[in-house]
Amino acid sequence: MDRCIYGCSAVSFFLFFLLLTASALPQTLEPVHHNITGSGGQINSNSVLVALLDSRYTELAELVEKALLLQTLEDAVGRHNITIFAPRNEALERDLDPDFKRFLLQPGNLKSLQTLLLSHIIPTRVGSTQWPEESTGRVKHVTLGHDQVLHLSKTKGNGKRLVNSAVITRPDDLTRPDGLIHGIERLLIPRSVQEDFNRRRNLRSISAVLPEGAPEIDPRTNRLKKSTAASVAVPAGSPPVLPIQSAMAPGPSLAPAPAPGPGGPRHHFNGEAQVKDFIHTLLHYGGYNEMADILVNLTSLATEMGRLVSEGYVLTVLAPNDEAMAKLTTDQLSEPGAPEQIMYYHIIPEYQTEESMYNSVRRFGKVKYETLRFPHKVAAKEADGSVKFGSGDRSAYLFDPDIYTDGRISVQGIDGVLFPEEEEETVKKPSSSVKKVVPTRRGKLLEVACRMLGAIGKESYISKC
């Protein structure tokens, strides 16, 4: 009896041990994900991101840093393996269109640059041995850009590996536990980025067209034109009919009423989107947060600028940096309408770039630009190889050129806040009446007599001599 009890207990213990081993076996066979982040969220030296930054693909690594994508890629690597298709440096230095590269590096096109770079990365590990065969056809992979996909395939005959239409020149060039890098012959440009570049280059979407139904006004008389003249079609690209002072909303110092809005079924300009774009650019650029805060929160200038751009006007904003804005006193901003008046003086109703302004001051010496603070003008001249606005202590230099340029709005960073020159008051002093003593004039006869007495030394005889 005792033997059966002990034997049965040993068998039951052995069966229980087998059950525990079987339940633990699937967990041990699961694939192990390599965690490349350290305890403090730092990327390990064996990460594919570190390999990218230290590799031969320096141009791509520089674009990743400028696009502010390092944190996004760190998060992606922390969740799963990634595969990066890296174009060679020559493809980005010499083979890429210079205008397209300039477009990508502009602060206002940060989203396009991010979309382009994320379309070169897929959130899975695809090595050269896992490439689809010729008979399989193209295999689609979703990229980190979500809306973009890549097609992997092999060419028939030579068996070259392709990503979209670009040839893989260095398969498995850099392999790390959390991902790998394939070298490709050229840059992969998504269609959305190419279309955005074409719109910005040709400016077709914001070409100046007179809104349908808007009355035509003679700028010389500021009155409506006759019906015969109004029937003449205005060609595309014509400037707005009204001067910009008449199109502005009435304020403390602006008498004219706002211009009639577009009466047609569609707006030809999207001024609100452009103003929002350049304000986002100021925030991403850094150092101009105070300017953006005044435009959006303290005043309604952002809305007014969007309406002006929607009606076909162009603007150049001289944006003081945060260091300059910090020097403004409370008294300068506390008066009613003071922030608006300060900002109006920094907006020029022309489209000017750093190159055009510098060429103007180089050629003409001193140039005065109209401002929205009518009738005050801001003076510009050449100084120290740059453009200097204002004069004396109230001057400012062109500090950050071409922060934002899209053909309708130009933003130029300056290192000071500008103020219009104060009008000198001429004080007329009352003229004091002073009596002027006129000496008596001697007659000719007395003069001859005095001369004769002087010849003989007797001139003292006459007191008048």
Side-chain angles (χ1 to χ4, degrees), residues 264-280:
R266 62 184 182 278
H267 294 270
H268 295 279
F269 306 99
N270 192 354
E272 294 181 1
Q274 290 178 257
V275 172
K276 184 178 179 181
D277 193 15
F278 104 76
I279 290 178
H280 277 292

Side-chain angles (χ1 to χ4, degrees), residues 209-215 240 242 247 258-272 306-313:
V209 179
L210 185 69
E212 294 179 3
L242 283 174
R266 62 184 182 278
H267 294 270
H268 295 279
F269 306 99
N270 192 354
E272 294 181 1
R307 187 178 58 80
L308 290 174
V309 174
S310 296
E311 293 178 4
Y313 298 96

Side-chain angles (χ1 to χ4, degrees), residues 221-272:
T221 62
N222 207 23
R223 295 181 180 178
L224 289 174
K225 289 184 178 181
K226 297 180 180 180
S227 57
T228 55
S231 61
V232 179
V234 178
S238 301
V241 178
L242 283 174
I244 195 168
Q245 287 80 13
S246 300
M248 292 173 62
S253 62
L254 298 173
R266 62 184 182 278
H267 294 270
H268 295 279
F269 306 99
N270 192 354
E272 294 181 1

Side-chain angles (χ1 to χ4, degrees), residues 104-151:
L104 293 176
L105 296 180
Q106 287 179 354
N109 303 323
L110 180 63
K111 185 177 293 186
S112 297
L113 178 60
Q114 291 176 343
T115 302
L116 181 137
L117 294 177
L118 291 178
S119 66
H120 288 73
I121 306 172
I122 58 178
T124 184
R125 189 186 187 94
V126 180
S128 59
T129 58
Q130 300 169 312
W131 219 266
E133 297 297 332
E134 301 176 10
S135 58
T136 308
R138 299 198 306 173
V139 177
K140 182 171 65 175
H141 288 273
V142 179
T143 66
L144 291 182
H146 301 296
D147 296 337
Q148 309 296 330
V149 295
L150 293 179
H151 296 89

Side-chain angles (χ1 to χ4, degrees), residues 29-294:
L29 293 179
E30 288 182 354
V32 178
H33 296 283
H34 296 274
N35 185 12
I36 55 95
T37 57
S39 59
Q42 299 291 332
I43 292 295
N44 289 338
S45 59
N46 200 28
S47 170
V48 68
L49 297 182
V50 178
L52 174 64
L53 297 178
D54 295 338
S55 67
R56 63 171 61 88
Y57 308 105
T58 55
E59 290 290 325
L60 180 65
E62 184 178 352
L63 289 179
V64 170
E65 293 179 352
K66 289 183 178 179
L68 308 178
L69 286 177
L70 287 179
Q71 185 61 45
T72 303
L73 296 182
E74 288 178 13
D75 297 340
V77 168
R79 292 191 299 267
H80 39 61
N81 275 218
I82 64 173
T83 301
I84 302 175
F85 298 95
R88 54 194 178 91
N89 284 342
E90 293 79 5
L92 296 175
E93 289 177 349
R94 296 193 296 267
D95 301 342
L96 194 63
D97 183 7
D99 293 336
F100 184 71
K101 188 174 183 180
R102 194 178 306 113
F103 161 80
L104 293 176
L105 296 180
Q106 287 179 354
N109 303 323
L110 180 63
K111 185 177 293 186
S112 297
L113 178 60
Q114 291 176 343
T115 302
L116 181 137
L117 294 177
L118 291 178
S119 66
H120 288 73
I121 306 172
I122 58 178
T124 184
R125 189 186 187 94
V126 180
S128 59
T129 58
Q130 300 169 312
W131 219 266
E133 297 297 332
E134 301 176 10
S135 58
T136 308
R138 299 198 306 173
V139 177
K140 182 171 65 175
H141 288 273
V142 179
T143 66
L144 291 182
H146 301 296
D147 296 337
Q148 309 296 330
V149 295
L150 293 179
H151 296 89
L152 307 184
S153 61
K154 276 187 180 180
T155 58
K156 295 181 179 180
N158 53 15
K160 288 185 177 180
R161 299 176 180 87
L162 299 178
V163 50
N164 286 359
S165 58
V167 178
I168 304 294
T169 57
R170 290 178 174 270
D172 300 336
D173 191 15
L174 295 172
T175 304
R176 294 294 184 272
D178 56 354
L180 52 87
I181 299 176
H182 298 296
I184 59 178
E185 62 174 352
R186 60 179 177 81
L187 190 68
L188 305 175
I189 303 176
R191 179 176 297 179
S192 61
V193 178
Q194 185 67 47
E195 291 176 352
D196 192 15
F197 168 65
N198 292 336
R199 283 195 300 268
R200 293 293 181 92
R201 179 175 57 181
N202 300 329
L203 298 178
R204 291 174 180 171
S205 62
I206 53 175
S207 60
V209 179
L210 185 69
E212 294 179 3
E216 293 193 19
I217 298 177
D218 190 352
R220 297 171 298 178
T221 62
N222 207 23
R223 295 181 180 178
L224 289 174
K225 289 184 178 181
K226 297 180 180 180
S227 57
T228 55
S231 61
V232 179
V234 178
S238 301
V241 178
L242 283 174
I244 195 168
Q245 287 80 13
S246 300
M248 292 173 62
S253 62
L254 298 173
R266 62 184 182 278
H267 294 270
H268 295 279
F269 306 99
N270 192 354
E272 294 181 1
Q274 290 178 257
V275 172
K276 184 178 179 181
D277 193 15
F278 104 76
I279 290 178
H280 277 292
T281 302
L282 282 180
L283 297 175
H284 283 299
Y285 194 86
Y288 294 90
N289 297 334
E290 296 293 333
M291 178 73 178
D293 185 54
I294 289 180

Side-chain angles (χ1 to χ4, degrees), residues 341-398:
Q341 295 302 318
I342 293 176
M343 291 298 103
Y344 278 144
Y345 191 64
H346 290 75
I347 301 177
I348 300 173
E350 304 175 21
Y351 186 78
Q352 297 285 344
T353 61
E354 184 265 344
E355 182 179 2
S356 65
M357 288 191 291
Y358 184 71
N359 290 340
S360 298
V361 296
R362 280 287 303 272
R363 181 176 181 182
F364 301 107
K366 188 174 184 180
V367 181
K368 288 190 176 182
Y369 295 102
E370 297 277 354
T371 65
L372 295 191
R373 188 172 177 179
F374 187 77
H376 296 287
K377 298 181 179 181
V378 59
K381 62 181 180 180
E382 181 192 9
D384 302 329
S386 180
V387 182
K388 181 180 180 182
F389 300 96
S391 59
D393 297 336
R394 295 182 173 181
S395 61
Y397 284 88
L398 185 56

